[in-house]
């Protein structure tokens, strides 16, 4: 698109969007002028897209990544047909100005994180004259405030956002109560296997593995993350030396084949069949993107790690409850079984 035409479109859309405006303070403390009535919003990184899906699905104008075909049954009708715009930060391809403008967002949500350069994000959208609200979303504990803020800012259902926020707070409190007395030496040793070969992982200090720590697991890969992307290479020899008792697998195909792979047979988790694929429709329960799905994921993991510990939960019932509250869908038995084949 010629630069002159792009500039004209930016100006026209910005004038239309702020015809009736109000000022809000975002989670970075910035005062931002946004339209009085908001109907079209873009989450510029995957966690923000998940946030919008949960708090204001009717406002979503596009995605950062394409969904797998199976994901449609776990989202409100029509959402998977929204265009893939890319993103400004996070997984997937980088968005370009023309694609974003074509989706006509009135407001953009951006990721407030120590690992994200806010100046770069602001510069991108300043050129497009689209107001940006920064939202803090690194840890699961950040999500309740983010959900309440987003609902207020966008003028959507604040009562629903409050129920979602309260659920996360209760899930965190319940899981902490269950694991609070465990010392590091008493915790189950966990390896988070990422990638098709299972030989990528993330540091125990990374938000990518936060759910493992919250659920009372001891991540065998002890380090400080150097980037927000993670997926650090690890050798099979390192995994064997650490001898995890549980393997949590990002890739379901890896989880299905590793038990028969002779190279992994020295590992306790493989010997005892304690390898679990993370449920991942429509979004991963733990990671990529790190999202409020972790509120369900930590409950699942705590039962995987400590099946004899109390209190236990009725995981199928809890999953149905979560998907209805957060993703606005009622799961039938077939959808539930396809989602979570493991306990």
């Amino acid at each position: 698109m010629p630069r002159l035409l792009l500039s004209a479109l930016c100006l026209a859309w910005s004038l239309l969007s702020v015809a009736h405006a109000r000022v809000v303070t975002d989670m970075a403390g910035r005062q931002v002028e946004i339209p009085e009535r908001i109907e079209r919003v873009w989450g510029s990184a995957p966690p923000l897209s998940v946030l919008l899906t949960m708090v204001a699905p009717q406002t979503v104008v596009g995605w950062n990544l394409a969904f797998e075909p199976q994901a449609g049954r776990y989202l409100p009708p029509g959402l998977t047909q929204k265009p893939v715009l890319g993103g400004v930060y996070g997984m997937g391809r980088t968005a370009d100005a023309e694609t974003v403008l074509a989706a006509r967002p009135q407001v953009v949500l951006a990721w407030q994180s120590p690992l994200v350069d806010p100046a770069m994000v602001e510069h991108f959208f300043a050129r497009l004259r689209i107001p940006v609200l920064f939202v803090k979303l690194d840890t699961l504990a950040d999500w309740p405030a983010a959900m309440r803020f987003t609902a207020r800012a966008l003028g959507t259902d604040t009562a629903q956002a409050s129920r979602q926020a309260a659920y996360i707070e209760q899930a965190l409190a319940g899981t902490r109560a269950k694991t609070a007395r465990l010392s590091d030496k008493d915790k189950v040793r966990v390896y988070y296997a990422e990638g098709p070969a299972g030989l990528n992982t993330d540091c125990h200090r990374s938000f990518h593995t936060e759910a493992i720590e919250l659920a009372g697991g001891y991540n065998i890969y002890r380090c400080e993350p150097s980037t927000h992307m993670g997926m650090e290479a690890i050798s099979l020899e390192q995994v064997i030396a650490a001898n995890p008792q549980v393997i949590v697998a990002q890739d379901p195909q890896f989880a299905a084949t590793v038990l028969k792979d002779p190279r992994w047979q020295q590992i306790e988790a493989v010997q005892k069949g304690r390898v679990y694929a993370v449920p991942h429709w429509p979004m991963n329960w733990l990671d990529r993107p790190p999202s409020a799905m972790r509120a369900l994921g930590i409950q699942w993991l705590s039962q995987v790690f400590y099946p004899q510990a109390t209190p236990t939960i009725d995981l199928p019932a809890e999953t149905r409850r979560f998907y209805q509250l957060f993703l606005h869908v009622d799961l039938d038995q077939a959808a539930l079984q396809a989602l979570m084949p493991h306990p």
Side-chain angles (χ1 to χ4, degrees), residues 27-96:
M27 297 185 77
R30 300 159 56 253
Q31 289 197 318
V32 184
E33 190 175 75
I34 62 175
E36 180 65 34
R37 182 175 179 180
I38 298 173
E39 297 176 337
R40 302 181 63 81
V41 187
W42 182 47
S44 62
L48 284 312
S49 289
V50 180
L51 176 67
L52 276 178
T53 302
M54 294 175 169
V55 172
Q58 72 281 2
T59 70
V60 172
V61 299
W63 303 110
N64 314 114
L65 302 162
F67 283 102
E68 296 179 55
Q70 300 95 321
R73 70 201 297 190
Y74 303 100
L75 287 168
L79 270 190
T80 56
Q81 277 70 58
K82 300 290 184 179
V84 176
L85 308 181
V88 177
Y89 223 88
M91 303 179 292
R93 65 178 173 84
T94 301
D96 62 81

Side-chain angles (χ1 to χ4, degrees), residues 227-276:
T227 73
H228 82 289
M229 293 302 293
M231 290 281 287
E232 298 186 25
I234 187 172
S235 70
L236 180 55
E237 289 72 25
Q238 286 176 280
V239 182
I240 291 171
N243 196 26
Q245 297 164 291
V246 170
I247 294 176
V248 177
Q250 182 193 62
D251 188 304
Q253 185 62 29
F254 170 78
T257 60
V258 69
L259 294 176
K260 299 177 182 179
D261 189 330
R263 298 171 300 169
W264 291 74
Q265 296 305 309
Q266 300 177 59
I267 297 170
E268 181 178 341
V270 175
Q271 293 171 354
K272 295 185 177 180
R274 298 189 72 185
V275 179
Y276 302 90

Side-chain angles (χ1 to χ4, degrees), residues 26 28 30 32 42-46 48 64 87-90 94-95 97 100 107-135 228:
D26 70 7
R30 300 159 56 253
V32 184
W42 182 47
S44 62
L48 284 312
N64 314 114
V88 177
Y89 223 88
T94 301
V100 174
V107 172
V108 168
L109 302 186
W111 196 355
Q112 182 196 351
S113 167
L115 300 172
V116 174
D117 179 3
M120 182 270 290
V121 176
E122 290 189 79
H123 175 73
F124 181 88
F125 290 106
R127 293 188 298 119
L128 305 185
R129 304 194 186 192
I130 303 174
V132 177
L133 297 175
F134 278 89
V135 183
H228 82 289

Side-chain angles (χ1 to χ4, degrees), residues 32-330:
V32 184
E33 190 175 75
I34 62 175
E36 180 65 34
R37 182 175 179 180
I38 298 173
E39 297 176 337
R40 302 181 63 81
V41 187
W42 182 47
S44 62
L48 284 312
S49 289
V50 180
L51 176 67
L52 276 178
T53 302
M54 294 175 169
V55 172
Q58 72 281 2
T59 70
V60 172
V61 299
W63 303 110
N64 314 114
L65 302 162
F67 283 102
E68 296 179 55
Q70 300 95 321
R73 70 201 297 190
Y74 303 100
L75 287 168
L79 270 190
T80 56
Q81 277 70 58
K82 300 290 184 179
V84 176
L85 308 181
V88 177
Y89 223 88
M91 303 179 292
R93 65 178 173 84
T94 301
D96 62 81
E98 293 85 353
T99 302
V100 174
L101 280 177
R104 298 182 292 113
Q106 297 166 281
V107 172
V108 168
L109 302 186
W111 196 355
Q112 182 196 351
S113 167
L115 300 172
V116 174
D117 179 3
M120 182 270 290
V121 176
E122 290 189 79
H123 175 73
F124 181 88
F125 290 106
R127 293 188 298 119
L128 305 185
R129 304 194 186 192
I130 303 174
V132 177
L133 297 175
F134 278 89
V135 183
K136 189 173 188 295
L137 280 182
D138 272 353
T139 69
L140 181 56
D142 292 333
W143 277 74
M147 296 182 119
R148 293 180 175 113
F149 163 76
T150 302
R152 289 194 308 270
L154 301 184
T156 57
D157 189 342
T158 56
Q160 174 183 267
S162 291
R163 290 191 296 271
Q164 293 169 337
Y167 181 102
I168 296 170
E169 291 163 343
Q170 291 162 11
L172 281 167
T175 306
R176 285 170 180 150
K178 190 174 178 178
T179 61
R181 296 184 181 180
L182 293 172
S183 66
D184 281 352
K185 68 181 179 63
D186 295 326
K187 292 177 180 178
V188 64
R189 299 187 310 279
V190 182
Y191 172 57
Y192 184 38
E194 298 181 89
L199 291 175
N200 296 92
T201 194
D202 277 286
C203 300
H204 76 293
R205 296 285 191 187
S206 170
F207 58 67
H208 290 296
T209 57
E210 181 193 28
I212 291 172
E213 302 291 314
L214 290 173
Y218 183 85
N219 184 348
I220 63 163
Y221 194 61
R222 316 298 287 182
C223 53
E224 294 286 342
S226 57
T227 73
H228 82 289
M229 293 302 293
M231 290 281 287
E232 298 186 25
I234 187 172
S235 70
L236 180 55
E237 289 72 25
Q238 286 176 280
V239 182
I240 291 171
N243 196 26
Q245 297 164 291
V246 170
I247 294 176
V248 177
Q250 182 193 62
D251 188 304
Q253 185 62 29
F254 170 78
T257 60
V258 69
L259 294 176
K260 299 177 182 179
D261 189 330
R263 298 171 300 169
W264 291 74
Q265 296 305 309
Q266 300 177 59
I267 297 170
E268 181 178 341
V270 175
Q271 293 171 354
K272 295 185 177 180
R274 298 189 72 185
V275 179
Y276 302 90
V278 182
H280 63 283
W281 292 326
M283 284 82 68
N284 191 294
W285 283 17
L286 306 186
D287 174 37
R288 305 198 187 281
S291 76
M293 300 299 294
R294 288 174 290 185
L296 183 58
I298 61 175
Q299 297 177 79
W300 167 67
L301 277 183
S302 69
Q303 295 206 166
V304 165
F305 295 164
Y306 306 104
Q308 307 306 319
T310 56
T312 60
I313 61 169
D314 180 342
L315 194 60
E318 196 63 29
T319 301
R320 284 192 172 103
R321 178 188 172 207
F322 181 94
Y323 273 64
Q324 199 284 325
L325 176 60
F326 285 84
L327 296 172
H328 323 290
V329 292
D330 295 314

